[in-house]
Amino acid sequence: MNYKFLPMFFVLLLMSFTNLPSNENSKKNSIVVEAKSVSKNVSIYNQLDANSFALPSFESFTLALDGFYILKEKGLIKKNILTLVDFSLSSNTKRMWVIDLEKNTVLFQTLVAHGRNTGEEFAKEFSNRAESYQSSIGFYATAEIYNGKHGMSLKLDGLERGLNDKARERAVVIHGADYVSESFIKQNKRLGRSQGCPAVPVELNAKIIEVIKDKSCLFIYHPSAKQEILAKLIS
C-alpha cells in the first residue's frame, strides 16, 4: 500500500465529521483525534530519511511513534531517539532500527537477537519471568551504561507492568554478542539467541549504546500483542 496518499484521505475524513449531530460529538472527537494521530504518523513515516537502509513496516513504526509521544509527555523518556525492534521478522534479517526523530533519519539498521526460549528463527513466545530465557515485548526506557561479562552494556527499564517491568531484575540489557553476525547465520541457518536480551553485533554495540543511552525509547514489537502493548502504556 502506498502511504503517501493517506494524509489527504484523513483530511477528507476529518471534514466529513463537521456536520454530525451534537449527540455524536463524543464519538466524532475520538475519531478526529485518532485520524489526526494517524495522519501525523503517515507524514513522519513518508518523510523519514532511510539513509541507505530499509524502512521498518508502517504498522510497527506507527505503534512505536504513538508510544514514544505518550512516554515523552509523561517524562519517562528524554531524547528524540527511537529504537524499534520488529520481532515479527526473521532473526536472519536486520530487524532493529535506531531513528533520530529530530532529524527524521535512520541512524542504524542491524541484526538483533531474541531469547533462546522465544523461538528458533522467528520469535513466538514472550515472557516477563526471571529465568524464562525469553524476550519481553513492549516499551522500555534506556538507562545507564555498565561493563559486564559481555563488555559495554546498557541497562533497560521496562515500562509496562506484566509485559516487561521485570527487565532490570532479569538483567535484560543491550550488549554485543559474537553470535549476532552474518557468519553465525551462514553456519547455523539462523541467528544466535540470547538469554532474553536484545543483543546486537559486537562491532556496532558501542556506537548504538552511545546514541541511545540515558532515557531514550526502545520498543520491541510483535503483532500478537499490539493492542495490549499500547493499552498497558496508557493505563
Side-chain angles (χ1 to χ4, degrees):
M1 181 175 182
N2 189 342
Y3 292 99
K4 293 187 176 181
F5 298 103
L6 283 179
M8 180 56 69
F9 166 78
F10 284 106
V11 169
L12 295 173
L13 177 64
L14 292 173
M15 292 173 61
S16 71
F17 289 114
T18 57
N19 296 318
L20 285 177
S22 58
N23 63 349
E24 293 291 326
N25 278 346
S26 177
K27 182 179 179 182
K28 177 194 75 174
N29 290 340
S30 175
I31 295 173
V32 167
V33 168
E34 184 176 354
K36 284 183 177 179
S37 174
V38 173
S39 181
K40 180 180 180 181
N41 290 350
V42 169
S43 178
I44 293 172
Y45 185 79
N46 286 334
Q47 293 175 39
L48 268 180
D49 179 358
N51 200 17
S52 79
F53 301 115
L55 289 178
S57 72
F58 177 76
E59 182 175 273
S60 63
F61 177 77
T62 193
L63 185 58
L65 204 55
D66 285 342
F68 170 85
Y69 288 126
I70 292 169
L71 296 174
K72 199 78 185 291
E73 186 176 349
K74 290 182 175 182
L76 295 173
I77 57 171
K78 303 296 183 183
K79 293 182 173 180
N80 290 324
I81 297 291
L82 172 63
T83 302
L84 168 60
V85 174
D86 187 349
F87 274 163
S88 71
L89 302 175
S90 163
S91 62
N92 297 344
T93 64
K94 294 181 178 181
R95 54 186 181 164
M96 172 189 270
W97 288 263
V98 178
I99 302 168
D100 184 334
L101 291 175
E102 199 165 287
K103 297 179 179 178
N104 245 31
T105 302
V106 179
L107 303 178
F108 301 97
Q109 183 191 8
T110 186
L111 298 168
V112 61
H114 57 249
R116 68 178 65 165
N117 289 337
T118 281
E120 292 286 332
E121 179 183 342
F122 286 89
K124 296 179 179 179
E125 303 290 336
F126 306 96
S127 176
N128 195 33
R129 291 183 297 103
E131 308 301 325
S132 66
Y133 297 149
Q134 291 183 1
S135 298
S136 301
I137 55 177
F139 286 90
Y140 298 76
T142 64
E144 69 273 19
I145 296 172
Y146 73 100
N147 285 305
K149 63 180 181 180
H150 298 289
M152 185 179 185
S153 304
L154 182 65
K155 292 187 178 182
L156 301 171
D157 290 313
L159 302 176
E160 303 197 72
R161 184 175 299 176
L163 284 182
N164 60 23
D165 60 330
K166 304 295 184 185
R168 187 172 279 261
E169 66 185 71
R170 290 180 62 202
V172 173
V173 303
I174 290 179
H175 64 79
D178 56 10
Y179 54 76
V180 185
S181 65
E182 298 288 353
S183 60
F184 191 97
I185 294 171
K186 288 178 181 178
Q187 293 173 13
N188 299 275
K189 297 184 179 180
R190 64 159 172 77
L191 195 70
R193 297 168 299 167
S194 67
Q195 294 184 349
C197 297
V200 299
V202 173
E203 66 273 16
L204 289 177
N205 183 54
K207 294 177 183 178
I208 290 174
I209 287 177
E210 283 294 339
V211 170
I212 72 174
K213 67 181 180 180
D214 298 332
K215 299 292 183 182
S216 74
C217 179
L218 166 67
F219 175 50
I220 298 180
Y221 167 82
H222 194 271
S224 64
K226 61 183 180 181
Q227 294 180 338
E228 181 184 9
I229 287 169
L230 205 56
K232 285 184 176 290
L233 199 64
I234 295 170
S235 64

